[in-house]
Amino acid sequence: MKICVLPGDGIGVEIIAEAVRVLDALKSDGLKMEMEYAELGGCAVDSTGSPYPEATQKLAREADAVLLGAVGGPKWDVLPRPQRPERGLLGIRKDLNLFANLRPAVLYPELANASSLKPEIVSGLDILIVRELTGDIYFGEPRGIAVEDGKRVGRNTMIYNEDEIRRIGHVAFKSAQKRNKKLCSVDKMNVLETTQLWRDVMIEVAKDYPDVELSHMLVDNAAMQLVRAPKQFDVVVTGNMFGDILSDEASMLTGSIGMLPSASLDQNNKGMYEPCHGSAPDIAGKGVANPLATILSAAMMLRYSGNNEAAAVRIENAVKKVLAAGLRTGDIWEEGTKRVGTREMGDAVIAAL
Ligand code: NAD
């Protein structure tokens, strides 16, 4: 596997270092990987003037997968928009055509107290939200604010064609096949024709996956069920806007931003893997950031782009072991557990491998 490593800014550098050490440990066990580094975000602006410079574009396009830390920070917030680090992030997602965003929300029983919900409702939670990332009302035309009949009118267009729905459907069904074989498609077909088509196409795609049980839920109910009884879900698939909201809701059930990995995939399972959190400028350089979201993102990379389920599970089990042993970075620390820094947490995961 050829991996393009983008540490980015802030804590990105520290947490990527630990994920790379974990991958290196697997490499010495015979896993074949080549890692090359490039710049994305603020660091790239500083050295080239662009948040997604050409050298990074070349490496990212040639790689089988991209492993990203995080980008951004107050230093760059004053720049004109095209030069902001976040533009680099949007740029690479678009450039690589990453249309499927996979966000697992897993609550390890040891961290059940970190959730804002009662432990019995969330303990052991393990769901996967599959969100379409390149279509829907966020990109649909026509759009804009215009003056019509003397009044300002805001307009956006919710639009999906059947091919776009079908390709995210296949990703979701395949993901469900690798898990508990239950897929819930979320729409608003009672009022929105676009999502009636969404439901129709999901039912068509389901014919290719007779081993997966497909159900449907309206988005308002899904938002409610996620906080009422989240463990009823295995895989959830939905469009860009509903997915934006539901994936944040689901991830926050786990209460710990430093634990959440994500994957964004293209048609051929090439992907970009990154933690859900940002560059955390408030703790950058202090050696206290939680590296587990990034280490778990590396596990997703091996699963989806490397097609190596065994290696992915090995990393995930190592993380479980470390948590069970009571090691915690500051963001997940509680009374009775041992507080460790970024490097010590990486060491512990490698030892547990
Ligand atoms: P953030 O996720 O960086 O931080 C929010 C809070 O969570 C902070 O208190 C931080 O210390 C803490 N935190 C985050 N990750 C942690 C970890 N691994 N271990 C321990 N604590 C952790 O969000 P923010 O403060 O809103 O944004 C900071 C910068 O990051 C901004 O420039 C923003 O644009 C950028 N950002 C980047 C991404 C990305 O690269 N994908 C995502 C979100 C925000």
Side-chain angles (χ1 to χ4, degrees), residues 2-6 36-41 44 47-63 66 92 95-96 270:
K2 247 179 113 170
I3 303 165
C4 167
V5 183
L6 306 173
E36 270 197 75
Y37 287 78
E39 290 177 329
L40 185 82
S47 64
T48 70
S50 158
Y52 182 37
E54 265 173 38
T56 307
Q57 293 174 24
K58 184 168 182 301
L59 205 63
R61 287 178 196 148
E62 286 169 5
V66 177
I92 192 170
D95 185 30
L96 301 181
K270 171 173 174 165

Side-chain angles (χ1 to χ4, degrees), residues 4 32 79 90 102 127 131 134 136 149 156 168 179 194 217-218 227 235 277 293 295 317 333 349 353:
C4 167
K32 289 208 168 66
L79 291 174
L90 295 179
L102 273 55
I127 61 184
R131 167 190 171 194
T134 54
D136 203 351
D149 297 331
N156 290 94
I168 191 77
R179 295 171 46 101
T194 313
M217 199 179 275
L218 298 175
V227 287
V235 180
H277 59 73
I295 291 171
N317 283 343
W333 180 85
V349 173
L353 279 176

Side-chain angles (χ1 to χ4, degrees), residues 167-223:
R167 69 178 183 175
I168 191 77
H170 282 293
V171 171
F173 276 100
K174 288 194 176 109
S175 300
Q177 276 183 325
K178 290 181 181 165
R179 295 171 46 101
N180 292 326
K181 302 186 170 53
K182 274 171 58 185
L183 176 64
C184 179
S185 169
V186 172
D187 59 42
K188 187 74 183 167
M189 60 78 86
N190 51 344
V191 273
L192 297 170
E193 286 81 359
T194 313
T195 72
Q196 173 69 60
L197 178 68
W198 178 280
R199 189 176 286 208
D200 294 346
V201 174
M202 284 296 160
I203 291 168
E204 289 162 26
V205 175
K207 295 192 181 114
D208 291 347
Y209 303 90
D211 53 333
V212 175
E213 178 196 321
L214 173 67
S215 61
H216 305 273
M217 199 179 275
L218 298 175
V219 64
D220 39 352
N221 187 23

